């Protein structure tokens, strides 16, 4: 349910306010109930503009979540508050906010409950450079605590420079991302994980009739030893006819899950200090056919090779820990039929084999 209104302010008839209220409720399998409420407003006074947003959410399930990163086994409930604000100046903007979440997890066998508190804050800065370029930088801090027995602290930062966009030259972005996370448990060893990425990307540029998006990065993880590789993402589309578009996607990615969500539950999960990042290479080729203005069909084939695939295993103490199980190869076909019933109502059917 959403309600949006635009009306003049009582203090200044020239100032515009745009309050937005949003409320949603969902009920699914495993007796899961969740709701989310948020409110946002944007206001402009003279040449300065600012906005804010805050929200409340709750998620509860009486069933078991199997094999997920946040809770491998158990019932759970989550309550949270979040808020942020943005101030826009002439040549730069400042965005900052914070959130607070309480996660209660009930173990399926012993019935033991653990309460995890998660607090985070962030600050982002966007600066306009004369000539049309832009510079963005930000920092994010996160702290998670469970019953005074374990805690995880994480910090990440990024820096991004973007060139101006013109009709002849698409924008090019160059940036870096650095993050570090440390988990400490009472009576056990600490767990440290670091990540860095140096990347360059460009979007919406053309070679003849082919539309391209490209990203190249050097990504690395440090988990005891440092593992790094060159990653890439290339997306191409070719409008063969007015009703037919061919598409191709190639991606190579290095991935290692963070520790605070997976390994902090010492009652039923264990730390794996020898866990290696998994590396995957995916290729997807397909096309879209627009049968009419309201009906379209998309078909594609995909293949993915994964080395050092990460899954859940058991230890000698019957604890669950993430482990590398070797190589995994995926191959399949995806079909999707899309039909626009009205301008605001769309139905689609997908089949993946």
């Amino acid at each position: 349910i959403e309600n949006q209104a635009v009306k003049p302010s009582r203090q200044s008839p020239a100032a515009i306010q745009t309050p937005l209220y949003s409320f949603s409720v969902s009920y699914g399998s495993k007796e899961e109930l969740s709701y989310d409420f948020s409110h946002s407003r944007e206001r402009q006074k003279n040449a300065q503009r600012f906005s804010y947003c805050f929200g409340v959410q709750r998620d509860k399930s009486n069933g078991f979540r199997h094999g997920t990163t946040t809770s491998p086994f158990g019932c759970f409930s989550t309550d949270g508050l979040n808020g942020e604000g943005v101030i826009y100046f002439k040549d730069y903007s400042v965005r900052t906010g914070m959130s607070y979440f309480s996660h209660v997890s009930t173990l399926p066998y012993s019935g033991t409950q653990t309460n995890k508190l998660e607090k985070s804050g962030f600050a982002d800065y966007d600066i306009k450079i004369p000539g049309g370029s832009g510079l963005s930088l930000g920092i994010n801090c996160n702290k998670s605590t469970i019953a005074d027995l374990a805690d995880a602290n994480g910090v990440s930062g990024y820096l991004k420079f973007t060139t101006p966009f013109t009709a002849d030259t698409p924008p090019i972005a160059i940036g870096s991302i650095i993050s570090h996370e440390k988990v400490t448990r009472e009576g056990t060893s600490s767990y440290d994980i670091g990540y860095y990425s140096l990347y360059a990307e460009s979007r919406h540029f053309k070679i003849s009739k082919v539309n391209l998006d490209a990203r190249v990065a050097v990504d690395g993880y440090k988990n005891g030893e440092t593992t790094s590789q060159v990653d890439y993402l290339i997306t191409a589309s070719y409008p063969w006819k007015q009703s037919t578009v061919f598409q191709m996607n190639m991606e190579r990615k290095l991935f290692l899950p963070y520790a605070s969500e997976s390994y902090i539950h010492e009652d039923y999960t264990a730390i794996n200090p020898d866990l290696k990042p998994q590396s995957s290479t995916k290729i997807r080729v397909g096309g879209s056919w627009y049968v009419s203005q309201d009906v379209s069909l998309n078909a594609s084939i995909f293949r993915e090779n994964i080395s050092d695939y990460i899954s859940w295993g058991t230890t000698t103490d019957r604890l669950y820990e993430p482990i590398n199980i070797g190589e995994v190869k995926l191959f399949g076909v995806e079909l999707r039929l899309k039909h626009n019933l009205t301008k605001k109502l769309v139905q689609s059917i997908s089949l993946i084999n």
Side-chain angles (χ1 to χ4, degrees), residues 51-118:
S51 65
Y52 67 85
C53 177
F54 68 88
V56 181
Q57 70 180 66
R58 177 174 176 80
D59 193 4
K60 184 177 181 179
S61 173
N62 292 327
F64 298 109
R65 301 183 68 180
H66 174 78
T68 63
T69 303
T70 55
S71 180
F73 296 90
C75 310
F76 71 96
S77 65
T78 297
D79 297 277
L81 298 171
N82 61 82
E84 66 176 63
V86 187
I87 301 178
Y88 303 88
F89 298 93
K90 181 180 179 180
D91 296 324
Y92 67 95
S93 63
V94 180
R95 174 175 171 262
T96 184
M98 61 184 304
S99 62
Y100 177 88
F101 289 93
S102 173
H103 310 271
V104 179
S105 178
T106 304
L107 303 185
Y109 304 113
S110 63
T112 305
Q113 287 189 343
T114 58
N115 186 7
K116 172 185 173 184
L117 301 179
E118 182 178 356

Side-chain angles (χ1 to χ4, degrees), residues 22-331:
S22 175
F23 179 71
S24 63
V25 177
S26 64
Y27 180 81
S29 60
K30 303 178 183 178
E31 301 182 15
E32 182 173 346
L33 176 65
S34 63
Y35 68 81
D36 184 13
F37 170 80
S38 64
H39 167 66
S40 61
R41 166 177 282 183
E42 181 175 315
R43 181 179 179 183
Q44 182 170 345
K45 185 176 182 181
N46 299 327
Q48 185 173 315
R49 183 165 55 98
F50 65 92
S51 65
Y52 67 85
C53 177
F54 68 88
V56 181
Q57 70 180 66
R58 177 174 176 80
D59 193 4
K60 184 177 181 179
S61 173
N62 292 327
F64 298 109
R65 301 183 68 180
H66 174 78
T68 63
T69 303
T70 55
S71 180
F73 296 90
C75 310
F76 71 96
S77 65
T78 297
D79 297 277
L81 298 171
N82 61 82
E84 66 176 63
V86 187
I87 301 178
Y88 303 88
F89 298 93
K90 181 180 179 180
D91 296 324
Y92 67 95
S93 63
V94 180
R95 174 175 171 262
T96 184
M98 61 184 304
S99 62
Y100 177 88
F101 289 93
S102 173
H103 310 271
V104 179
S105 178
T106 304
L107 303 185
Y109 304 113
S110 63
T112 305
Q113 287 189 343
T114 58
N115 186 7
K116 172 185 173 184
L117 301 179
E118 182 178 356
K119 295 177 286 184
S120 64
F122 67 88
D124 297 325
Y125 302 89
D126 292 322
I127 303 172
K128 298 178 182 179
I129 300 176
S133 300
L135 183 66
S136 302
L137 62 152
I139 187 171
N140 187 296
C141 299
N142 181 278
K143 180 178 178 62
S144 301
T145 305
I146 285 190
D148 297 329
L149 298 177
D151 62 86
N153 296 276
V155 60
S156 62
Y158 71 90
L159 179 66
K160 181 178 179 180
F161 173 78
T162 307
T163 61
F165 178 82
T166 64
D168 300 325
T169 59
I172 299 176
I174 302 173
S176 64
I177 303 172
I178 301 176
S179 65
H180 179 262
E181 188 173 41
K182 181 178 181 180
V183 175
T184 304
R185 292 181 178 174
E186 184 179 355
T188 62
S189 60
S190 300
Y191 181 83
D192 289 286
I193 176 175
Y195 166 75
Y196 70 87
S197 177
L198 305 174
Y199 67 90
E201 62 183 8
S202 183
R203 299 178 180 272
H204 311 300
F205 67 94
K206 290 186 176 183
I207 299 178
S208 184
K209 292 185 178 181
V210 180
N211 300 311
L212 290 174
D213 292 344
R215 185 180 191 273
V216 180
V218 177
D219 296 329
Y221 286 93
K222 184 177 181 181
N223 178 24
E225 298 180 354
T226 301
T227 303
S228 62
Q229 71 177 28
V230 178
D231 291 341
Y232 56 81
L233 173 61
I234 301 175
T235 302
S237 62
Y238 175 72
W240 184 49
K241 294 181 179 180
Q242 187 175 2
S243 60
T244 306
V245 178
F246 293 108
Q247 300 161 337
M248 183 188 72
N249 179 278
M250 299 176 60
E251 181 181 13
R252 187 186 186 197
K253 183 170 62 174
L254 193 68
F255 169 74
L256 183 66
Y258 281 110
S260 63
E261 292 293 341
S262 304
Y263 315 137
I264 198 172
H265 296 282
E266 60 180 3
D267 292 324
Y268 56 93
T269 60
I271 290 177
N272 183 1
D274 300 323
L275 187 67
K276 300 178 181 179
Q278 72 176 28
S279 177
S280 62
T281 303
K282 180 189 298 184
I283 300 177
R284 179 185 292 267
V285 179
S288 298
W289 292 267
Y290 298 89
V291 182
S292 65
Q293 185 177 0
D294 298 324
V295 180
S296 63
L297 175 65
N298 179 274
S300 62
I301 58 176
F302 61 88
R303 181 182 180 88
E304 184 175 6
N305 296 330
I306 305 175
S307 60
D308 293 321
Y309 182 80
I310 298 176
S311 182
W312 287 99
T314 57
T315 66
T316 54
D317 298 329
R318 299 184 65 181
L319 297 176
Y320 295 94
E321 69 172 356
I323 59 174
N324 300 106
I325 63 174
E327 295 187 0
V328 174
K329 295 184 178 181
L330 304 175
F331 177 80

